[in-house]
Amino acid sequence: PAEPRVELTSLSIKGLDGQTFQLQVDDDATVEHVYTYISEKIGLKPGRKLLLMSGCNILEGSKPLLQQVQNEEISFVIQRMHFCEVVKSFQRVIENETTTRLT
């Protein structure tokens, strides 16, 4: 039997710095998936984070991606992280590694 065909949506990803590329996603795609893809594609440096938007709305990780995307376009801005954000992020990584090792 043939496998069910997965419908993909082509998203146009645009950075405010002029970078543009395409990303194919399925209905189960998450904001985290797109964040990771863009980070790897642009070589996001430590101490920086992405702000993902579609239309005038910031994309939220708690909601399905495609329900938030307007006109199949996502824009991103690279932001510098403040020192306290870097420390909190590092603490989460350490706590996650400790929890993972204990289980």
mmCIF file with all atom_site columns, all heavy atoms in Angstrom, residues 62-78:
data_model
loop_
_atom_site.group_PDB
_atom_site.id
_atom_site.type_symbol
_atom_site.label_atom_id
_atom_site.label_alt_id
_atom_site.label_comp_id
_atom_site.label_asym_id
_atom_site.label_entity_id
_atom_site.label_seq_id
_atom_site.pdbx_PDB_ins_code
_atom_site.Cartn_x
_atom_site.Cartn_y
_atom_site.Cartn_z
_atom_site.occupancy
_atom_site.B_iso_or_equiv
_atom_site.pdbx_formal_charge
_atom_site.auth_seq_id
_atom_site.auth_comp_id
_atom_site.auth_asym_id
_atom_site.auth_atom_id
_atom_site.pdbx_PDB_model_num
ATOM 1   N N   . SER A 1 62 ? 3.964  28.324 21.657 1.00 0.00 ? 62 SER A N   1
ATOM 2   C CA  . SER A 1 62 ? 2.871  27.529 22.221 1.00 0.00 ? 62 SER A CA  1
ATOM 3   C C   . SER A 1 62 ? 1.738  27.272 21.228 1.00 0.00 ? 62 SER A C   1
ATOM 4   O O   . SER A 1 62 ? 0.838  26.491 21.514 1.00 0.00 ? 62 SER A O   1
ATOM 5   C CB  . SER A 1 62 ? 2.310  28.220 23.462 1.00 0.00 ? 62 SER A CB  1
ATOM 6   O OG  . SER A 1 62 ? 1.772  29.485 23.102 1.00 0.00 ? 62 SER A OG  1
ATOM 7   N N   . LYS A 1 63 ? 1.773  27.929 20.073 1.00 0.00 ? 63 LYS A N   1
ATOM 8   C CA  . LYS A 1 63 ? 0.711  27.767 19.078 1.00 0.00 ? 63 LYS A CA  1
ATOM 9   C C   . LYS A 1 63 ? 1.251  27.074 17.831 1.00 0.00 ? 63 LYS A C   1
ATOM 10  O O   . LYS A 1 63 ? 2.426  27.225 17.504 1.00 0.00 ? 63 LYS A O   1
ATOM 11  C CB  . LYS A 1 63 ? 0.145  29.137 18.687 1.00 0.00 ? 63 LYS A CB  1
ATOM 12  C CG  . LYS A 1 63 ? -0.511 29.878 19.818 1.00 0.00 ? 63 LYS A CG  1
ATOM 13  C CD  . LYS A 1 63 ? -1.020 31.227 19.343 1.00 0.00 ? 63 LYS A CD  1
ATOM 14  C CE  . LYS A 1 63 ? -1.649 32.011 20.479 1.00 0.00 ? 63 LYS A CE  1
ATOM 15  N NZ  . LYS A 1 63 ? -2.065 33.349 20.032 1.00 0.00 ? 63 LYS A NZ  1
ATOM 16  N N   . PRO A 1 64 ? 0.400  26.329 17.105 1.00 0.00 ? 64 PRO A N   1
ATOM 17  C CA  . PRO A 1 64 ? 0.852  25.694 15.858 1.00 0.00 ? 64 PRO A CA  1
ATOM 18  C C   . PRO A 1 64 ? 1.390  26.744 14.880 1.00 0.00 ? 64 PRO A C   1
ATOM 19  O O   . PRO A 1 64 ? 0.811  27.823 14.726 1.00 0.00 ? 64 PRO A O   1
ATOM 20  C CB  . PRO A 1 64 ? -0.411 25.024 15.306 1.00 0.00 ? 64 PRO A CB  1
ATOM 21  C CG  . PRO A 1 64 ? -1.288 24.824 16.509 1.00 0.00 ? 64 PRO A CG  1
ATOM 22  C CD  . PRO A 1 64 ? -0.989 25.988 17.416 1.00 0.00 ? 64 PRO A CD  1
ATOM 23  N N   . LEU A 1 65 ? 2.492  26.411 14.228 1.00 0.00 ? 65 LEU A N   1
ATOM 24  C CA  . LEU A 1 65 ? 3.167  27.353 13.349 1.00 0.00 ? 65 LEU A CA  1
ATOM 25  C C   . LEU A 1 65 ? 2.276  27.884 12.233 1.00 0.00 ? 65 LEU A C   1
ATOM 26  O O   . LEU A 1 65 ? 2.107  29.084 12.080 1.00 0.00 ? 65 LEU A O   1
ATOM 27  C CB  . LEU A 1 65 ? 4.415  26.694 12.734 1.00 0.00 ? 65 LEU A CB  1
ATOM 28  C CG  . LEU A 1 65 ? 5.133  27.542 11.686 1.00 0.00 ? 65 LEU A CG  1
ATOM 29  C CD1 . LEU A 1 65 ? 5.836  28.715 12.342 1.00 0.00 ? 65 LEU A CD1 1
ATOM 30  C CD2 . LEU A 1 65 ? 6.089  26.706 10.881 1.00 0.00 ? 65 LEU A CD2 1
ATOM 31  N N   . LEU A 1 66 ? 1.707  26.982 11.436 1.00 0.00 ? 66 LEU A N   1
ATOM 32  C CA  . LEU A 1 66 ? 0.981  27.421 10.246 1.00 0.00 ? 66 LEU A CA  1
ATOM 33  C C   . LEU A 1 66 ? -0.271 28.233 10.563 1.00 0.00 ? 66 LEU A C   1
ATOM 34  O O   . LEU A 1 66 ? -0.727 29.005 9.730  1.00 0.00 ? 66 LEU A O   1
ATOM 35  C CB  . LEU A 1 66 ? 0.655  26.234 9.346  1.00 0.00 ? 66 LEU A CB  1
ATOM 36  C CG  . LEU A 1 66 ? 1.873  25.588 8.684  1.00 0.00 ? 66 LEU A CG  1
ATOM 37  C CD1 . LEU A 1 66 ? 1.460  24.404 7.832  1.00 0.00 ? 66 LEU A CD1 1
ATOM 38  C CD2 . LEU A 1 66 ? 2.662  26.592 7.870  1.00 0.00 ? 66 LEU A CD2 1
ATOM 39  N N   . GLN A 1 67 ? -0.810 28.092 11.772 1.00 0.00 ? 67 GLN A N   1
ATOM 40  C CA  . GLN A 1 67 ? -1.957 28.911 12.165 1.00 0.00 ? 67 GLN A CA  1
ATOM 41  C C   . GLN A 1 67 ? -1.546 30.364 12.408 1.00 0.00 ? 67 GLN A C   1
ATOM 42  O O   . GLN A 1 67 ? -2.383 31.256 12.415 1.00 0.00 ? 67 GLN A O   1
ATOM 43  C CB  . GLN A 1 67 ? -2.608 28.345 13.421 1.00 0.00 ? 67 GLN A CB  1
ATOM 44  C CG  . GLN A 1 67 ? -3.341 27.046 13.181 1.00 0.00 ? 67 GLN A CG  1
ATOM 45  C CD  . GLN A 1 67 ? -3.970 26.517 14.462 1.00 0.00 ? 67 GLN A CD  1
ATOM 46  O OE1 . GLN A 1 67 ? -3.968 27.161 15.506 1.00 0.00 ? 67 GLN A OE1 1
ATOM 47  N NE2 . GLN A 1 67 ? -4.518 25.314 14.378 1.00 0.00 ? 67 GLN A NE2 1
ATOM 48  N N   . GLN A 1 68 ? -0.255 30.606 12.604 1.00 0.00 ? 68 GLN A N   1
ATOM 49  C CA  . GLN A 1 68 ? 0.238  31.950 12.892 1.00 0.00 ? 68 GLN A CA  1
ATOM 50  C C   . GLN A 1 68 ? 0.819  32.652 11.666 1.00 0.00 ? 68 GLN A C   1
ATOM 51  O O   . GLN A 1 68 ? 0.988  33.865 11.674 1.00 0.00 ? 68 GLN A O   1
ATOM 52  C CB  . GLN A 1 68 ? 1.341  31.882 13.955 1.00 0.00 ? 68 GLN A CB  1
ATOM 53  C CG  . GLN A 1 68 ? 0.893  31.282 15.268 1.00 0.00 ? 68 GLN A CG  1
ATOM 54  C CD  . GLN A 1 68 ? 2.040  31.247 16.239 1.00 0.00 ? 68 GLN A CD  1
ATOM 55  O OE1 . GLN A 1 68 ? 2.440  32.280 16.771 1.00 0.00 ? 68 GLN A OE1 1
ATOM 56  N NE2 . GLN A 1 68 ? 2.587  30.069 16.469 1.00 0.00 ? 68 GLN A NE2 1
ATOM 57  N N   . VAL A 1 69 ? 1.135  31.888 10.626 1.00 0.00 ? 69 VAL A N   1
ATOM 58  C CA  . VAL A 1 69 ? 1.821  32.445 9.462  1.00 0.00 ? 69 VAL A CA  1
ATOM 59  C C   . VAL A 1 69 ? 0.826  33.104 8.517  1.00 0.00 ? 69 VAL A C   1
ATOM 60  O O   . VAL A 1 69 ? -0.200 32.519 8.173  1.00 0.00 ? 69 VAL A O   1
ATOM 61  C CB  . VAL A 1 69 ? 2.627  31.344 8.733  1.00 0.00 ? 69 VAL A CB  1
ATOM 62  C CG1 . VAL A 1 69 ? 3.209  31.871 7.437  1.00 0.00 ? 69 VAL A CG1 1
ATOM 63  C CG2 . VAL A 1 69 ? 3.715  30.804 9.634  1.00 0.00 ? 69 VAL A CG2 1
ATOM 64  N N   . GLN A 1 70 ? 1.150  34.322 8.113  1.00 0.00 ? 70 GLN A N   1
ATOM 65  C CA  . GLN A 1 70 ? 0.316  35.070 7.176  1.00 0.00 ? 70 GLN A CA  1
ATOM 66  C C   . GLN A 1 70 ? 1.027  35.161 5.827  1.00 0.00 ? 70 GLN A C   1
ATOM 67  O O   . GLN A 1 70 ? 2.228  35.426 5.768  1.00 0.00 ? 70 GLN A O   1
ATOM 68  C CB  . GLN A 1 70 ? 0.049  36.475 7.712  1.00 0.00 ? 70 GLN A CB  1
ATOM 69  C CG  . GLN A 1 70 ? -0.704 36.477 9.020  1.00 0.00 ? 70 GLN A CG  1
ATOM 70  C CD  . GLN A 1 70 ? -0.843 37.882 9.586  1.00 0.00 ? 70 GLN A CD  1
ATOM 71  O OE1 . GLN A 1 70 ? -0.594 38.869 8.925  1.00 0.00 ? 70 GLN A OE1 1
ATOM 72  N NE2 . GLN A 1 70 ? -1.240 37.961 10.848 1.00 0.00 ? 70 GLN A NE2 1
ATOM 73  N N   . ASN A 1 71 ? 0.293  34.893 4.759  1.00 0.00 ? 71 ASN A N   1
ATOM 74  C CA  . ASN A 1 71 ? 0.815  34.991 3.389  1.00 0.00 ? 71 ASN A CA  1
ATOM 75  C C   . ASN A 1 71 ? 2.063  34.141 3.159  1.00 0.00 ? 71 ASN A C   1
ATOM 76  O O   . ASN A 1 71 ? 2.916  34.479 2.352  1.00 0.00 ? 71 ASN A O   1
ATOM 77  C CB  . ASN A 1 71 ? 1.107  36.447 3.017  1.00 0.00 ? 71 ASN A CB  1
ATOM 78  C CG  . ASN A 1 71 ? -0.123 37.311 3.089  1.00 0.00 ? 71 ASN A CG  1
ATOM 79  O OD1 . ASN A 1 71 ? -1.217 36.880 2.737  1.00 0.00 ? 71 ASN A OD1 1
ATOM 80  N ND2 . ASN A 1 71 ? 0.043  38.523 3.581  1.00 0.00 ? 71 ASN A ND2 1
ATOM 81  N N   . GLU A 1 72 ? 2.203  33.060 3.924  1.00 0.00 ? 72 GLU A N   1
ATOM 82  C CA  . GLU A 1 72 ? 3.322  32.122 3.803  1.00 0.00 ? 72 GLU A CA  1
ATOM 83  C C   . GLU A 1 72 ? 4.676  32.814 3.893  1.00 0.00 ? 72 GLU A C   1
ATOM 84  O O   . GLU A 1 72 ? 5.632  32.459 3.224  1.00 0.00 ? 72 GLU A O   1
ATOM 85  C CB  . GLU A 1 72 ? 3.189  31.299 2.522  1.00 0.00 ? 72 GLU A CB  1
ATOM 86  C CG  . GLU A 1 72 ? 1.934  30.451 2.524  1.00 0.00 ? 72 GLU A CG  1
ATOM 87  C CD  . GLU A 1 72 ? 1.742  29.624 1.278  1.00 0.00 ? 72 GLU A CD  1
ATOM 88  O OE1 . GLU A 1 72 ? 2.435  29.851 0.273  1.00 0.00 ? 72 GLU A OE1 1
ATOM 89  O OE2 . GLU A 1 72 ? 0.875  28.745 1.317  1.00 0.00 ? 72 GLU A OE2 1
ATOM 90  N N   . GLU A 1 73 ? 4.753  33.838 4.744  1.00 0.00 ? 73 GLU A N   1
ATOM 91  C CA  . GLU A 1 73 ? 5.998  34.577 4.945  1.00 0.00 ? 73 GLU A CA  1
ATOM 92  C C   . GLU A 1 73 ? 6.336  34.681 6.427  1.00 0.00 ? 73 GLU A C   1
ATOM 93  O O   . GLU A 1 73 ? 5.465  34.916 7.260  1.00 0.00 ? 73 GLU A O   1
ATOM 94  C CB  . GLU A 1 73 ? 5.901  35.995 4.378  1.00 0.00 ? 73 GLU A CB  1
ATOM 95  C CG  . GLU A 1 73 ? 5.793  36.047 2.887  1.00 0.00 ? 73 GLU A CG  1
ATOM 96  C CD  . GLU A 1 73 ? 5.775  37.473 2.366  1.00 0.00 ? 73 GLU A CD  1
ATOM 97  O OE1 . GLU A 1 73 ? 5.729  38.434 3.157  1.00 0.00 ? 73 GLU A OE1 1
ATOM 98  O OE2 . GLU A 1 73 ? 5.789  37.612 1.143  1.00 0.00 ? 73 GLU A OE2 1
ATOM 99  N N   . ILE A 1 74 ? 7.617  34.488 6.720  1.00 0.00 ? 74 ILE A N   1
ATOM 100 C CA  . ILE A 1 74 ? 8.146  34.684 8.068  1.00 0.00 ? 74 ILE A CA  1
ATOM 101 C C   . ILE A 1 74 ? 9.324  35.635 7.952  1.00 0.00 ? 74 ILE A C   1
ATOM 102 O O   . ILE A 1 74 ? 10.177 35.478 7.082  1.00 0.00 ? 74 ILE A O   1
ATOM 103 C CB  . ILE A 1 74 ? 8.598  33.355 8.706  1.00 0.00 ? 74 ILE A CB  1
ATOM 104 C CG1 . ILE A 1 74 ? 7.388  32.443 8.935  1.00 0.00 ? 74 ILE A CG1 1
ATOM 105 C CG2 . ILE A 1 74 ? 9.350  33.608 10.017 1.00 0.00 ? 74 ILE A CG2 1
ATOM 106 C CD1 . ILE A 1 74 ? 7.751  31.079 9.478  1.00 0.00 ? 74 ILE A CD1 1
ATOM 107 N N   . SER A 1 75 ? 9.371  36.625 8.832  1.00 0.00 ? 75 SER A N   1
ATOM 108 C CA  . SER A 1 75 ? 10.501 37.539 8.900  1.00 0.00 ? 75 SER A CA  1
ATOM 109 C C   . SER A 1 75 ? 11.247 37.271 10.197 1.00 0.00 ? 75 SER A C   1
ATOM 110 O O   . SER A 1 75 ? 10.660 36.824 11.180 1.00 0.00 ? 75 SER A O   1
ATOM 111 C CB  . SER A 1 75 ? 10.026 38.994 8.896  1.00 0.00 ? 75 SER A CB  1
ATOM 112 O OG  . SER A 1 75 ? 9.283  39.262 7.727  1.00 0.00 ? 75 SER A OG  1
ATOM 113 N N   . PHE A 1 76 ? 12.551 37.548 10.181 1.00 0.00 ? 76 PHE A N   1
ATOM 114 C CA  . PHE A 1 76 ? 13.309 37.376 11.417 1.00 0.00 ? 76 PHE A CA  1
ATOM 115 C C   . PHE A 1 76 ? 14.251 38.544 11.633 1.00 0.00 ? 76 PHE A C   1
ATOM 116 O O   . PHE A 1 76 ? 14.700 39.198 10.699 1.00 0.00 ? 76 PHE A O   1
ATOM 117 C CB  . PHE A 1 76 ? 14.078 36.046 11.440 1.00 0.00 ? 76 PHE A CB  1
ATOM 118 C CG  . PHE A 1 76 ? 15.209 35.942 10.452 1.00 0.00 ? 76 PHE A CG  1
ATOM 119 C CD1 . PHE A 1 76 ? 16.493 36.322 10.803 1.00 0.00 ? 76 PHE A CD1 1
ATOM 120 C CD2 . PHE A 1 76 ? 14.989 35.429 9.179  1.00 0.00 ? 76 PHE A CD2 1
ATOM 121 C CE1 . PHE A 1 76 ? 17.530 36.216 9.895  1.00 0.00 ? 76 PHE A CE1 1
ATOM 122 C CE2 . PHE A 1 76 ? 16.020 35.305 8.274  1.00 0.00 ? 76 PHE A CE2 1
ATOM 123 C CZ  . PHE A 1 76 ? 17.301 35.713 8.627  1.00 0.00 ? 76 PHE A CZ  1
ATOM 124 N N   . VAL A 1 77 ? 14.510 38.805 12.907 1.00 0.00 ? 77 VAL A N   1
ATOM 125 C CA  . VAL A 1 77 ? 15.448 39.829 13.346 1.00 0.00 ? 77 VAL A CA  1
ATOM 126 C C   . VAL A 1 77 ? 16.406 39.150 14.300 1.00 0.00 ? 77 VAL A C   1
ATOM 127 O O   . VAL A 1 77 ? 15.994 38.341 15.141 1.00 0.00 ? 77 VAL A O   1
ATOM 128 C CB  . VAL A 1 77 ? 14.710 40.975 14.092 1.00 0.00 ? 77 VAL A CB  1
ATOM 129 C CG1 . VAL A 1 77 ? 15.694 42.010 14.596 1.00 0.00 ? 77 VAL A CG1 1
ATOM 130 C CG2 . VAL A 1 77 ? 13.657 41.594 13.221 1.00 0.00 ? 77 VAL A CG2 1
ATOM 131 N N   . ILE A 1 78 ? 17.673 39.457 14.175 1.00 0.00 ? 78 ILE A N   1
ATOM 132 C CA  . ILE A 1 78 ? 18.677 38.940 15.108 1.00 0.00 ? 78 ILE A CA  1
ATOM 133 C C   . ILE A 1 78 ? 18.826 39.963 16.228 1.00 0.00 ? 78 ILE A C   1
ATOM 134 O O   . ILE A 1 78 ? 19.049 41.148 15.974 1.00 0.00 ? 78 ILE A O   1
ATOM 135 C CB  . ILE A 1 78 ? 20.023 38.714 14.402 1.00 0.00 ? 78 ILE A CB  1
ATOM 136 C CG1 . ILE A 1 78 ? 19.845 37.712 13.256 1.00 0.00 ? 78 ILE A CG1 1
ATOM 137 C CG2 . ILE A 1 78 ? 21.084 38.252 15.401 1.00 0.00 ? 78 ILE A CG2 1
ATOM 138 C CD1 . ILE A 1 78 ? 21.044 37.587 12.351 1.00 0.00 ? 78 ILE A CD1 1
#
